Amino acid sequence: MHHRSVAALVMVAAFARQPASAERCPTAADMPKGVTLRQGNSTIHIKATGEHEIRTETTTKGVGTFVDTTYDGLVPIGSGQVLADGDTTRRFVYPTDYRTFRPEPGQSFTYDTVYWTGGWFFGVESTDTTNLKVVGRDTVRIGDCSYSTVVIEKIVAEGMRGIMSDQVPEPRLFRLQFSPDLRVVLYSHRAILTPIVPDSFTAD
């Protein structure tokens, strides 16, 4: 009788641990419903809305909410407003088919983001050029969760903003930790700064 009781307790304990583990560590199966990354003042909701479309909603205290759609979590697609007041719009220009880009070491892809700021009668157009290059593999730990990632260098060369701009900003280099399995950028940081891992990563 005593042995049966101990065995039953062990089984109950093992069963109780399983949901907690699944809850702490999102998987690709969670993407249709969504996952959430939290870091400091920002909360990022990420959801697969199609076979290749990933919708990201980033809310930052004091800034607002920004919604974006990407192809497989990396290349922005479509067009939309950038600012809440509606005076900035954008469109993307791809010199090659963005669907051919794969997150594998040695692969790279470049695209332009064309911004139009101002009303329909008078406005200013500027163009940013972004290059994505896969430079290696890594493993990222968020709490008790561990994910295999590819490291992507993202170089953004900004265009001039506004008529009175007299110089073009220097290109900015970012490093992205991207999970190919989830099709999610777990975190990114300026290359000149120390990376900060998200506080938490949960299934919605």
Side-chain angles (χ1 to χ4, degrees):
M1 180 70 178
H2 174 71
H3 292 295
R4 286 199 299 271
S5 299
V6 171
L9 288 173
V10 170
M11 290 180 64
V12 169
F15 181 78
R17 284 197 299 268
Q18 290 178 358
S21 176
E23 189 174 298
R24 287 197 306 272
C25 301
T27 67
D30 297 308
M31 289 303 296
K33 186 175 180 181
V35 296
T36 298
L37 284 161
R38 290 183 175 83
Q39 175 63 61
N41 293 327
S42 295
T43 300
I44 307 171
H45 297 288
I46 310 168
K47 181 178 181 179
T49 57
E51 184 178 358
H52 293 282
E53 290 188 359
I54 304 294
R55 182 181 185 274
T56 301
E57 180 180 295
T58 303
T59 301
T60 303
K61 291 181 180 178
V63 177
T65 299
F66 177 72
V67 179
D68 206 357
T69 302
T70 57
Y71 184 86
D72 279 346
L74 282 175
V75 181
I77 56 178
S79 61
Q81 295 180 346
V82 173
L83 301 180
D85 55 16
D87 72 348
T88 300
T89 58
R90 62 179 176 166
R91 61 185 173 87
F92 300 104
V93 179
Y94 314 100
T96 57
D97 188 351
Y98 58 79
R99 292 168 294 187
T100 63
F101 177 54
R102 296 290 181 268
E104 300 169 354
Q107 295 289 306
S108 64
F109 186 78
T110 299
Y111 64 90
D112 290 340
T113 307
V114 181
Y115 295 92
W116 176 265
T117 304
W120 66 271
F121 180 73
F122 181 80
V124 176
E125 184 176 276
S126 60
T127 302
D128 291 355
T129 298
T130 301
N131 175 257
L132 302 174
K133 183 179 180 180
V134 183
V135 296
R137 300 185 186 276
D138 201 357
T139 299
V140 169
R141 293 189 62 86
I142 304 176
D144 294 329
C145 305
S146 181
Y147 295 94
S148 296
T149 63
V150 292
V151 182
I152 300 175
E153 287 190 344
K154 177 180 178 180
I155 299 177
V156 181
E158 294 185 348
M160 293 186 294
R161 294 286 192 268
I163 296 176
M164 303 305 293
S165 298
D166 58 359
Q167 63 181 3
V168 178
E170 290 292 324
R172 294 179 296 161
L173 172 62
F174 300 83
R175 286 196 172 88
L176 283 57
Q177 290 281 0
F178 177 75
S179 167
D181 183 40
L182 277 69
R183 295 178 295 166
V184 169
V185 175
L186 296 176
Y187 69 89
S188 65
H189 67 283
R190 287 284 300 274
I192 60 175
L193 303 176
T194 302
I196 301 176
V197 178
D199 299 324
S200 67
F201 186 34
T202 58
D204 290 350

